[in-house]
Each structure stands twice: as structure tokens, then as C-alpha cells.
Amino acid sequence: MIHSYRFKNHFSFGGETEVSFQLSNQVPETDRVCISPSGARLSKLMAVIGPNGSGKTNALKPLAFLHWFVCSSFATSKPGDEIPVGSHFFSDLEDSEFEVIFETDGKLYRYNLIVNRRRVVHEAIYLKTSKLFSYLFRRDWSESDEKYFIRQQKFGLAPKEATKVRDNASLISTAAQYNVPCAQALVEFFSRIYTNVHYEGREHFATSDIFSAAEFFHSQPELKQQMSDLMCRLDLGLSDVVIEKHKLEEKPGKVKEINMTFGIHRSDKKEVKLPFWSESSGTQRAYVLLKKMLAALSDGGVVVIDEMEADMHPDMLNTLLDLFINPETNPHNTQIIFTCHAHEVLNLLDKSQVLLIEKDNNGMSEAWRLDEMQGVRRDDNLYAKYRAGAYGAVPNL
């Protein structure tokens, strides 16, 4: 579970920005709130709202970047490859800074990273013991010595191997390749960040995503049934969703067997089976989105979604968000943070679960949680007041 994350000088955010899921004792006990094993009160949901171009997607990018960096930077980057980060275009500084406080397996960690496109400048992981955070490793680049200084305390990577870490790879990602248990546990946590965001922004789903979802649901019969039930509830005109094996001729003489998804449509007397690429974009989008959501809800994790309502009717958000609110469908207290233009979602959330984003005349994005503003009452009609401009973060037209 994520307690909070901070970042600085990353895309449109020049100053330090914090996104916190932590809640005070004044926030009422509801199914939108969970208690972590460490006793922290955390929100399960966070909606990111603001005008187009304000930086909403950029507020999600730190989690997407850390997901890649911790899990895959060793395996997917080559020596000399640039690190996919971006400082603010008006900044004279090239370093971007990140911090995330998270909890997994009953342990509370803090991960710190300072990085630019050329190299890691600082990387460290801390474990909370008693009331203090103690480092498991610290890695610092010395410009004068042109090398890294690495200190470890019970991290477990052989010093000889630690010296081989590449400039553009995480020490955690590297140590996991050497089967270091602590590193593998950390990679497991970050691998359970399910997102549709990458360096350039939101991933636009393609036909290949439908095939990928078909493979996933075929291998998870219980989740497949849950997906089918949900798709039928979303008023998409579906009576069922089935996945069948079909043979595909890739080239003459070479046939490949694949899983294909079909939507079942029934009337009083007839039944029609359509391949999913013939369904509406909203139906396809919901199908691909449910792959990420149900995987996270099944195992626990964090869902990071840009433009949650894209291609779908805004009323569908109620059903999708209820998956995270309802303890029966969210037994592991999976969290979700999402951007949204369907402002009716404010009727579903508490003021502590809304992050507003605005950009000033200098191109600097700023974020604040709605409960940080003075005078916002818990019983306010958040939707009406936001639409009236009382909270800011609305288009200046």
C-alpha cells in the first residue's frame, strides 16, 4: 500500500509536490478508508481533477516511472541508454527527485531517487524500525571521483556485484537479478502497480491489448467470470463474454492457436456472437481496463489510470469505483488513483480523496488535496462548488 509519494522537477511540476493517501482521524470510517498493518489510515481512492493541460497525467507519471525503474531498468535498458525522465522545460536543473513511502509484507519502506537522463545521482531504500527509518542501502554518485559509493546494511547484494550496477539501472532491479531476497520483495511490490501511463502519457489501447486481455482472462477463470458479469452490468448490450481458441494463419503453412474474445448479444429468438474488435470502443476500453483492475484487486496493489472515463459513459465510474470501495471485491485494500474529466465523480468521494491540479502562467503545475483548503466542509456539495469555481482548478475560459 502506498502512504504517499513526492516528486520535484519532473515534467510540468517544478517545485516539490506530494500526493498523500494518509488520512487524519477526523475522516469518518467508511469503506473508502482502510487501516494498514502498521496502523495508518489510508484512502483507497484518489481522483485527480483539473483543466486540460494542467498536468494531471504528469502527477501520475512518477508511479509509472518507478514501476518501470525498480522492476525493469536492468533488463530493458542497455548501457548508454537514456533514462526516461524529464525535468521541467523552464528549469536550469536536470535532476528529477522522487520519494515514495509504502508498506508491504507488514514492513514500512521509504524509497528515494535522484536521477537525470544520463544517470542515477542518488538511490536509497529505508526500512522503518521502531520509530526511525534505517537505510538498507545508499548509492551516491561522486562527480569528482566519477564513481558510485554504495553502503549496505542487511540488503544482501555482494559488494563485488554492487560495483557493477549501471548508471541507468536501479540497484534494486540489479540485485533482483542476483536473487537477493530483499530486492525481489521490493520488485514484487512495484510490479503490482498497474497503469496505463508511460513516459509520453496515456497508453492508447490497441487490438493487441484485447488479445492480451484474452490470454489473461483465459488463464484466470474466476476473474474471467467476474469480468463477464461486470461487462453485462455496464449496460453495453452484452449478455455474456466468452473466450474461445481459434487458429490463426500467421503466414502460409504456419498456423498459431490464439484466444479470442467474443461478445454475446441475445434477443428473444436470436443470439449473435461478435469478435471484440467489432464492439464499440467503450466496450473494448472497459474490457482492457478490467484486466488491470481485476488483477490488482485479486492480488493487492495500486491501480494508476489516466482518463478513467475515456470512451465510456461517466455513469460507469460508479460501478468501477465500487469494486475498490466494497470490501468483498477488494479484500486486499487495493488502491486506485486516476485522472478524470467526469466531475460527477466528486459526488462519490470525500474531500480528502480529491487532488486538484492547476498550472500557472509560468507553466508550473501545482497540486493540492481538497481537504487542505480552508473552509471546505465535509458535507459540502463538492461537485456543485467545484463547477462554480469555488475550489479553482477549472478552465479559465
Side-chain angles (χ1 to χ4, degrees):
M1 303 180 72
I2 289 181
H3 287 223
S4 64
Y5 64 96
R6 297 174 185 264
F7 54 100
K8 182 179 180 180
N9 194 31
H10 191 50
F11 291 97
S12 62
F13 288 87
E16 183 175 276
T17 301
E18 179 182 28
V19 180
S20 177
F21 290 85
Q22 298 181 68
L23 303 173
S24 71
N25 291 328
Q26 296 178 342
V27 177
E29 293 285 348
T30 69
D31 287 339
R32 297 176 181 84
V33 178
C34 63
I35 309 298
S36 76
S38 69
R41 303 182 77 246
L42 303 173
S43 177
K44 297 180 188 177
L45 307 98
M46 185 69 68
V48 182
I49 292 175
N52 287 112
S54 59
K56 298 187 299 298
T57 305
N58 291 337
L60 303 185
K61 284 183 179 179
L63 290 180
F65 169 71
L66 293 176
H67 162 77
W68 171 81
F69 189 69
V70 172
C71 297
S72 306
S73 57
F74 177 87
T76 61
S77 61
K78 300 175 182 178
D81 284 354
E82 287 192 338
I83 300 172
V85 291
S87 60
H88 193 279
F89 44 72
F90 289 146
S91 176
D92 295 327
L93 305 174
E94 63 174 352
D95 294 346
S96 298
E97 301 181 19
F98 305 90
E99 176 187 282
V100 58
I101 297 175
F102 62 96
E103 193 169 343
T104 183
D105 297 328
K107 299 176 181 178
L108 188 63
Y109 293 92
R110 188 180 81 225
Y111 179 61
N112 289 95
L113 179 69
I114 302 175
V115 65
N116 55 53
R117 296 185 72 85
R118 293 178 293 110
R119 67 167 49 90
V120 173
V121 177
H122 168 78
E123 184 182 19
I125 187 75
Y126 298 84
L127 173 65
K128 191 169 186 180
T129 56
S130 184
K131 295 184 178 181
L132 301 174
F133 279 100
S134 301
Y135 74 84
L136 299 179
F137 77 77
R138 288 179 54 97
R139 169 193 181 192
D140 293 282
W141 172 255
S142 171
E143 199 69 51
S144 58
D145 296 301
E146 295 190 342
K147 67 177 184 178
Y148 286 105
F149 288 92
I150 300 172
R151 291 171 285 174
Q152 298 187 61
Q153 290 187 139
K154 301 179 181 179
F155 183 63
L157 179 62
K160 180 180 178 181
E161 305 302 340
T163 60
K164 299 177 183 178
V165 64
R166 297 198 311 266
D167 290 1
N168 60 356
S170 164
L171 186 65
I172 299 173
S173 180
T174 304
Q177 308 305 309
Y178 292 97
N179 300 317
V180 175
C182 181
Q184 290 177 318
L186 295 169
V187 167
E188 168 64 18
F189 172 81
F190 281 94
S191 71
R192 288 185 280 111
I193 295 176
Y194 298 84
T195 183
N196 68 344
V197 177
H198 55 56
Y199 174 78
E200 294 180 345
R202 175 167 67 96
E203 294 176 348
H204 296 277
F205 78 87
T207 303
S208 59
D209 295 316
I210 297 175
F211 286 107
S212 175
E215 293 296 330
F216 171 77
F217 286 120
H218 176 74
S219 66
Q220 303 281 342
E222 290 186 7
L223 297 185
K224 187 269 173 189
Q225 186 59 53
Q226 189 179 3
M227 173 275 298
S228 181
D229 292 343
L230 284 163
M231 293 290 286
C232 294
R233 281 173 52 198
L234 289 173
D235 193 27
L236 297 166
L238 296 170
S239 299
D240 198 2
V241 178
V242 299
I243 297 173
E244 298 177 352
K245 291 282 186 183
H246 278 258
K247 292 182 178 179
L248 177 68
E249 187 174 16
E250 293 185 303
K251 56 184 180 180
K254 187 174 182 181
V255 177
K256 179 182 179 181
E257 194 173 58
I258 62 170
N259 289 303
M260 288 180 56
T261 308
F262 294 86
I264 304 299
H265 300 260
R266 295 190 181 105
S267 67
D268 293 338
K269 298 180 180 180
K270 293 184 179 181
E271 177 178 294
V272 175
K273 183 169 66 176
L274 288 180
F276 244 51
W277 59 74
S278 296
E279 296 286 353
S280 71
S281 59
T283 300
Q284 296 177 48
R285 161 83 168 167
Y287 181 59
V288 172
L289 193 58
L290 281 174
K291 174 196 170 186
K292 298 181 188 296
M293 289 185 170
L294 295 182
L297 290 163
S298 174
D299 297 329
V302 182
V303 178
V304 182
I305 299 295
D306 188 30
E307 296 194 19
M308 177 89 154
E309 81 289 8
D311 297 319
M312 297 189 297
H313 193 283
D315 288 352
M316 292 182 182
L317 292 182
N318 298 34
T319 299
L320 296 177
L321 291 180
D322 192 58
L323 294 172
F324 296 85
I325 296 170
N326 190 335
E328 292 185 6
T329 52
N330 189 7
H332 304 292
N333 292 323
T334 297
Q335 296 165 296
I336 182 170
I337 179 170
F338 61 96
T339 70
C340 186
H341 289 109
H343 301 137
E344 295 85 353
V345 75
L346 292 168
N347 293 322
L348 306 175
L349 302 174
D350 183 83
K351 63 179 183 176
S352 58
Q353 297 164 329
V354 178
L355 188 75
L356 297 177
I357 309 285
E358 209 168 51
K359 186 182 284 184
D360 66 19
N361 293 331
N362 295 315
M364 290 280 188
S365 294
E366 180 184 4
W368 67 94
R369 222 167 67 173
L370 186 52
D371 62 342
E372 296 172 353
M373 296 184 68
Q374 290 187 352
V376 181
R377 296 168 52 90
R378 184 148 279 110
D379 58 356
D380 281 348
N381 185 325
L382 302 183
Y383 169 74
K385 289 206 166 186
Y386 172 76
R387 294 296 299 164
Y391 306 139
V394 292
N396 184 19
L397 301 177

